[in-house]
Amino acid sequence: MNDDDPSEDSDITLERRLAALREEHQDLDDAVTALEERPQPDMLQIARLKRRKLALKDEIVRLEDMLMPDIIA
């Protein structure tokens, strides 16, 4: 039998998902920076990437809250 805590498995899954989201967020940040440095940046593409970054950030915060819920003292 496996006596492991099932919430531990879900925490590991959340942590992996968080790592992937953080990596994607950083990749988008790098892409935005590269686009902004061009002589004639594609502002529409930059806006799309920034919206995606914001959505990722919201998801990251949501998952972090699930892993570390507020402790009411």
Side-chain angles (χ1 to χ4, degrees), residues 1 5 10 12 14-15 17-18 21 24 26 30-31 38 40 56 58-60 66 72:
M1 273 195 236
D5 183 4
S10 64
I12 292 170
L14 286 177
E15 288 171 4
R17 176 77 177 133
L18 263 174
L21 290 173
E24 185 178 353
Q26 182 59 50
D30 295 342
R38 288 184 170 180
Q40 293 182 339
L56 285 173
D58 289 344
E59 181 71 6
I60 289 168
M66 288 174 68
I72 300 172

Side-chain angles (χ1 to χ4, degrees), residues 2-18:
N2 189 356
D3 292 331
D4 291 342
D5 183 4
S7 67
E8 204 173 297
D9 290 339
S10 64
D11 284 354
I12 292 170
T13 302
L14 286 177
E15 288 171 4
R16 287 181 181 156
R17 176 77 177 133
L18 263 174

